[in-house]
Amino acid sequence: MRLFISVVLAITGSVLAKDADCHFKLKESVALPRGWVKHGLPPADHNINLRIGLPQPNFKLLEQHLYEVSDPFHERYGQHLSKEEVEALVAPHQESLDSVDKWLASFGIGEGDAQRSPAKDWVKLRVPVALAEKMLNTTYYVWKHLESGDYLVRTTSYSLPVDVHAHVDVVQPTTMFGRFKGSKSTVVSIGDAPDAPKISTSTIDIGNGIMVDPSCNTTITVTCLEQLYNATSFQRQGKGTIGITGYLEQNANIQDLETFFAEQRPDAVGSNFTFISVAGGINNQSLAAAGDEANLDVQFAFGISHPVPATFYSTAGRPPFIPDVNTPTDTNEPYSDWLDFVLSHPNPPSAISTSYGDDEQTVPESFAKKACQGFAQLGARGVSLMFSSGDGGVGDNDPNPATQTCFTNDGRNVTRFIPGFPASCPFVTAVGGTTNVPEVAVSRFFSGGGFSDYFERPAYQDKVVQNYLNALPKGTYEGLFNPNGRAFPDVSAQSDRYRIWVGGRAILIGGTSASSPAFTGFVALLNDARLQKGLPPLGFLNPLFYSQAAGAFNDITVGHNSGCGTTGFNATKGWDPVTGLGTPNFGKLVAVVTAGKH
């Protein structure tokens, strides 16, 4: 996009907007989140990549289509929508398009100065902070995060002209103070992992004819997961596709992947993934630059799903803002850029895992709901989206209880459990964590889970969640969570002591950032099984999992997810906000998803 803003134009915009000051109406205001302090003012020519989200008046209709094509008991099950059909359903009214264009034009911003999403529900443009302040009748500041030392250019409130107000859902970056991060625990024994486990003559009988090597209690490998989840006899044909998202300059190293395959998946040696750069993301192949998060994700997701064709997306992270240095741009959460990109793609992978997230309360509700609508669009097109549930238990995605901050960001600073996003979005499948054989809820760090404060509980999980709530002793954690919110996680998988290769060294690593790609690998195999029979991929999974496939999970009844100075919720019979429905029994799931005409 050309650099179209000059000092003269900014002054012109100031004059044009001055007469309209009295016609501005507050759009959004937030209390400053805990841990941030005002550092100063950004340079007037500091550039911001503004994203303007327009209303989707027919989203309810899209949601109806999504649930119909995702419900195994509906006659439309599996009849996913095309990219063009989805875009037509989420397109804004012409009146909204005209109103926003007129508003932008009043600041000298023309048609060629902005980018629009295929459905035209997002407008993106780069402007200097001085002009953004005029457009939004606000003042931006540089804010410093005390714990990390990070800096952001943000405001705590902004306004829009009255005649534009109803035609814009959200403008960012404005009030978003999220610190997008991976859901992984501390790496264990870097460069000093135990030797690769050898096949034992003894096994652990976990029931239903499933035998697991005892070494899986100390080291998780692809073989362990195939044994534990009853997938050793599946005949793969490599149909379908799988994707992994990478962020924050995490590089997936091909040499490490080859070493991992040679050790744990010999039939995959010589295979590779397709690399796709999003918004300038790179995948540096220096061993010194190999990322533990990225390597974990691709090694286990692609190791489990081989020979399903695989894609690794690298989305450029947020450039750090350095005070007194004219950093070129200031961006949103990077998953927004990935979502824009993948929605514009005609054939995205049919199973995608993301091991990153924020505390829900640090993402403005307006933006969270807009992003969640984007995930719904992918589900309607037949894409299964998995997100790690987080590693802070009922806390703030911080696995260290001593540094958890379980307080609301609404100015009240009230003690509150902290749900995670995007796991709290009802249109994704949130994956929690287990450990040991037989499995229990993970204890070395804590499986993120709980109840959203932004999203209502969806109908597909209403019965099982209400059963859980009814069984809670009266008054348990009253006021600490929203019992009517979307509950998560939905499912779980092993999440501790995964053996991977990073920079030429074997390490052990854990977190729900391990369970999500592992679970996604098995979803890719389920799609392989369906495609072998001429059936479409599964798409949005939750309506299936909470109904027809509910009996195809290993129920986890031991453990809890501590956080916020509490023991959190307990794992129990049936669904629970620690391990969800449980871990997959792949053999049973295959039988469910390949039965019948759907």
Side-chain angles (χ1 to χ4, degrees):
M1 187 188 305
R2 62 189 175 89
L3 293 174
F4 64 93
I5 301 297
S6 65
V7 174
V8 173
L9 182 54
I11 295 173
T12 302
S14 174
V15 173
L16 288 168
K18 186 175 181 181
D19 293 336
D21 281 349
C22 61
H23 300 297
F24 275 87
K25 178 182 176 183
L26 182 68
K27 185 66 178 180
E28 189 169 44
S29 178
V30 301
L32 180 66
R34 292 172 63 88
W36 292 92
V37 295
K38 188 182 294 184
H39 179 78
L41 291 169
D45 57 353
H46 171 76
N47 288 318
I48 295 179
N49 289 332
L50 278 185
R51 296 172 54 88
I52 303 166
L54 280 63
Q56 300 175 353
N58 292 320
F59 181 75
K60 283 294 182 184
L61 183 55
L62 172 73
E63 190 176 16
Q64 176 185 332
H65 284 289
L66 171 65
Y67 281 122
E68 288 180 356
V69 302
S70 306
D71 179 357
F73 300 107
H74 198 282
E75 61 183 2
R76 291 185 60 203
Y77 181 62
Q79 298 176 27
H80 303 120
L81 279 62
S82 68
K83 174 178 178 288
E84 293 72 22
E85 288 171 330
V86 167
E87 289 169 358
L89 285 169
V90 300
H93 285 321
Q94 188 62 45
E95 182 183 1
S96 294
L97 297 172
D98 294 342
S99 178
V100 170
D101 285 349
K102 182 179 177 181
W103 169 51
L104 296 179
S106 74
F107 290 93
I109 301 170
E111 180 71 24
D113 298 323
Q115 293 180 332
R116 287 165 170 80
S117 62
K120 298 185 177 180
D121 57 328
W122 282 103
V123 179
K124 295 178 287 184
L125 60 155
R126 188 172 72 171
V127 297
V129 68
L131 182 54
E133 290 177 335
K134 297 299 181 182
M135 295 171 64
L136 303 174
N137 197 32
T138 190
T139 300
Y140 279 86
Y141 293 95
V142 178
W143 304 91
K144 180 179 180 179
H145 189 254
L146 293 175
E147 181 184 348
S148 66
D150 291 345
Y151 293 89
L152 284 177
V153 177
R154 295 292 188 267
T155 181
T156 54
S157 67
Y158 68 95
S159 300
L160 293 171
V162 171
D163 57 352
V164 177
H165 217 269
H167 302 291
V168 171
D169 280 342
V170 61
V171 181
Q172 289 294 347
T174 49
T175 57
M176 183 181 294
F177 287 81
R179 300 183 61 249
F180 194 64
K181 48 192 177 291
S183 299
K184 68 176 185 293
S185 71
T186 305
V187 176
V188 180
S189 303
I190 296 178
D192 193 29
D195 292 337
K198 295 179 172 55
I199 300 299
S200 173
T201 56
S202 62
T203 55
I204 302 172
D205 184 350
I206 61 172
N208 298 316
I210 298 175
M211 310 298 287
V212 181
D213 193 275
S215 65
C216 300
N217 260 314
T218 56
T219 304
I220 291 296
T221 64
V222 169
T223 298
C224 284
L225 295 175
E226 290 178 338
Q227 291 176 348
L228 189 60
Y229 299 142
N230 191 23
T232 56
S233 61
F234 177 64
Q235 299 299 307
R236 309 150 184 258
Q237 291 189 12
K239 295 183 180 294
T241 47
I242 184 173
I244 289 293
T245 64
Y247 299 97
L248 307 180
E249 290 73 52
Q250 277 278 324
N251 302 299
N253 187 270
I254 295 171
Q255 183 176 332
D256 282 335
L257 181 64
E258 278 291 288
T259 304
F260 175 85
F261 281 161
E263 180 182 271
Q264 298 193 34
R265 183 99 239 180
D267 59 323
V269 170
S271 65
N272 202 347
F273 54 81
T274 298
F275 168 67
I276 296 180
S277 170
V278 180
I282 63 174
N283 193 30
N284 187 337
Q285 287 304 295
S286 164
L287 278 177
D292 52 1
E293 179 71 73
N295 276 16
L296 164 66
D297 292 357
V298 302
Q299 287 173 20
F300 271 87
F302 302 162
I304 290 168
S305 62
H306 179 77
V308 174
T311 297
F312 175 67
Y313 297 93
S314 176
T315 303
R318 296 168 298 187
F321 178 81
I322 304 173
D324 305 319
V325 176
N326 186 20
T327 306
T329 58
D330 196 40
T331 68
N332 294 290
E333 299 293 358
Y335 62 74
S336 305
D337 291 328
W338 176 82
L339 190 52
D340 287 344
F341 179 88
V342 78
L343 282 170
S344 71
H345 197 280
N347 296 299
S350 52
I352 301 175
S353 175
T354 299
S355 293
Y356 299 78
D358 280 328
D359 301 336
E360 186 184 68
Q361 67 173 359
T362 65
V363 181
E365 185 173 356
S366 58
F367 186 82
K369 289 187 172 179
K370 196 72 174 175
C372 192
Q373 289 176 347
F375 299 139
Q377 293 178 50
L378 285 173
R381 289 173 55 182
V383 178
S384 302
L385 292 173
M386 272 58 65
F387 281 85
S388 55
S389 71
D391 292 340
V394 293
D396 63 356
N397 205 23
D398 184 343
N400 182 357
T403 54
Q404 284 191 349
T405 53
C406 300
F407 300 95
T408 60
N409 272 344
D410 57 6
R412 298 179 301 150
N413 289 333
V414 175
T415 302
R416 184 84 168 173
F417 290 165
I418 308 297
F421 179 81
S424 64
C425 171
F427 307 125
V428 307
T429 300
V431 186
T434 62
T435 189
N436 295 342
V437 182
E439 291 182 277
V440 299
V442 72
S443 57
R444 188 171 62 81
F445 43 91
F446 308 107
S447 178
F451 300 82
S452 172
D453 287 320
Y454 289 174
F455 301 100
E456 296 180 354
R457 186 166 68 233
Y460 62 73
Q461 65 172 185
D462 194 47
K463 181 179 179 181
V464 296
V465 172
Q466 194 59 54
N467 287 342
Y468 179 85
L469 293 172
N470 290 343
L472 278 179
K474 189 175 181 179
T476 301
Y477 302 141
E478 186 173 355
L480 293 181
F481 71 97
N482 172 23
N484 299 313
R486 186 282 206 255
F488 69 100
D490 301 296
V491 294
S492 288
Q494 285 277 322
S495 62
D496 201 6
R497 299 187 295 266
Y498 276 57
R499 180 180 171 88
I500 65 170
W501 287 82
V502 181
R505 296 181 297 175
I507 69 171
L508 298 183
I509 190 171
T512 54
S513 63
S515 49
S516 182
F519 188 90
T520 302
F522 290 109
V523 172
L525 295 182
L526 292 175
N527 284 332
D528 186 358
R530 283 177 62 81
L531 291 164
Q532 289 181 37
K533 289 184 171 291
L535 300 171
L538 290 166
F540 178 40
L541 296 167
N542 295 3
L544 167 71
F545 284 174
Y546 282 89
S547 61
Q548 192 179 47
F553 291 89
N554 309 308
D555 194 8
I556 310 301
T557 60
V558 177
H560 53 83
N561 57 352
S562 298
C564 302
T566 75
T567 56
F569 297 107
N570 288 324
T572 189
K573 185 176 181 180
W575 180 91
D576 56 68
V578 188
T579 60
L581 295 167
T583 59
N585 184 319
F586 182 81
K588 289 184 177 180
L589 283 168
V590 166
V592 170
V593 303
T594 58
K597 64 178 182 179
H598 296 313

